[in-house]
Amino acid sequence: MRSLAEIRYRLRQEAVNLWLLASGMPSPGVTAPPPPPIRPAAHVPTEAVEELLAGRFRLFGQLVSVGSAVRWRQDPIHGQETPLAYFRRIPYLDFAAAGDHKNIWELSRHQHWVMLAEAFAQTGDRRCVEEIERQWHSWNEQNPWLRGINWTSALEVAFRAISWAAVDGFAGAALPADFRRRFASALYAHGMYLENNLSIYFSPNTHLLGEAVALHLLGSLYPLWPLSGRWKRRGAEIVDAHLAAKVGKDGSYFELSSYYQRYALDLFTLHYSIRGGALPEPVSRMAGFLADLEGVPPVPPRLGDDDGGQLYPAVARPSAVPAQSSRLHLPSGLAVLVDGPLRAIIDAGPFGPGAAGHSHADCLSLVLTYKGQELLVDPGTYTYVADPQWRDRFRGTAFHNTVRIGGDDQAAPDGPFRWRNPPSVAVAGWTVSEAEDTLTAECRYRGFLHRRTVRFQKPLCLVVTDEIHGPPGEHLLEQFWHCGRPAAARSPKSFVVGNALLLETSAAAHVGEGGEYGWVAPEFGSRVPAPVIVASGRFTLPHRFETVLSLTDEPGCGEATAIMQETK
């Protein structure tokens, strides 16, 4: 139920939006000079520039050709195009009406303009700024003030504002005077929109963070604008409060998604870099947490949602050295088991707060890398709204390396960004020693208890024990192992993954690709078949699965091998 304060805020917000719509796009009344010139950080490849000049864009890993006339309100992959209604009337989450809004929004973030501007700053090739000018006129004609899908999300307006400011920094002095005046005036209007449409109640997560970062950035880079001081103060206040409230003691961002960890870290880093001085300690803590998850060489584990976007131009994240020994992160509940080139992550933490919109039903799941190779993986996200069935599959329990009970997820999906009845998850034990590290964690839901114990027998062996307790009678139990490398069966209970990992189970299993479970999403919006090992059957509770994961550099796991012999 909405509070009185929220109702008042939303009513005022809508009244101001309607006034802004009736008044027309606001103007600052002054032509502010471009921000200080930005020096290119890295060379933009010539082939990338030529692709953009030819109307070809990289969209979540896919090469999409839109030609010389971009249709900015059309999903370039699925074809749906939305009308020029007032932005509150656009059903952007309705795939049938709007297509995949992520595809539309990604182009209108205009990060490809930043690439063109950066290339101009490197080479002086005026085709780059001419193309930006041409596309800018096209975009403004198709997206008039407060009308259409590209005004429906304040975060998208924020990303676009950051891009336009970066274009101004790279190439503003070289833009034709009349065009730059109109360009800067439209950028000011983006600031007016942001100030009035901050996601204080709608999405007080990375949405609000990105909007506040953009608002402060505009106030800082364009001090001659009449509202700049207010924007600068308001943006900084929100970012400071967000940092204090949303970053855990272990450096985890509250969304509990490794992708949104990177997203938030980049936004915080950009913001405090603009403010100057040393980065606040929580930002460095976030970098350390992310480094622990990714390891060396960095391998992003794809825990939770990943929407494929990024901040461009990239910021230099604070340096951090990954843990060289096993570590349990709290309150996130992520346990990182490390010894030399082996790194395993077990998710022994809760769903995210509230509706847990970016969480997956992945409690007690395990991912494993060795020498930078992904051996056991989280398959990723694939989509948000393009296909509800696949959205729920990729975030469901069967698409994670854990146990599913009764064919149901650990929580009930309720639309693309909500879960009902999330499980209770807790760490029950954690010990580390020179020879062995052990984690025990429990996940409780619908009257069942799943207890997973992972014993890391150093240097190259993990013994996983899954105990399932619950109501009497037989229950369908399924244990999943999603593989990042080709997998083959040596026997019904023994499998080799990537010629590097030997996986032995106490229950008969099979390996397959595609079908219902065997998929990974290497990029948002795409999925490819991938091997998955599934052990399943109907069992009377309590029941126990035993699984031994040993690296082939050192076959056999001592006591673990004896355990497997007893269960075979």
Side-chain angles (χ1 to χ4, degrees), residues 29 39 53 81 146 165 173 180 186 194 251 262-263 268 281 285 422 450 506 516 533 541:
R39 293 196 306 176
L53 293 175
E81 186 166 354
L146 300 186
R180 196 199 159 267
L194 287 172
R262 294 192 295 274
Y263 216 160
F268 281 126
E281 187 276 334
R285 204 188 316 150
H450 172 202
S506 61
E516 190 171 358
I533 300 167
L541 303 186

Side-chain angles (χ1 to χ4, degrees), residues 9 13 197-204 208 211 234 238:
Y9 180 86
Q13 188 179 67
N197 289 282
L198 293 166
S199 298
I200 301 294
Y201 295 101
F202 172 67
S203 294
L208 179 60
E211 294 153 16
R234 181 64 170 144
I238 292 173

Side-chain angles (χ1 to χ4, degrees), residues 380-384 386-396 399 514-520 527:
T381 298
Y382 177 48
T383 187
Y384 279 173
D387 189 315
Q389 181 183 48
W390 282 102
R391 166 62 169 159
D392 287 343
R393 281 187 180 182
F394 267 86
R395 64 179 182 150
F399 269 58
E516 190 171 358
Y517 312 120
W519 300 88
V520 298
R527 58 183 168 90

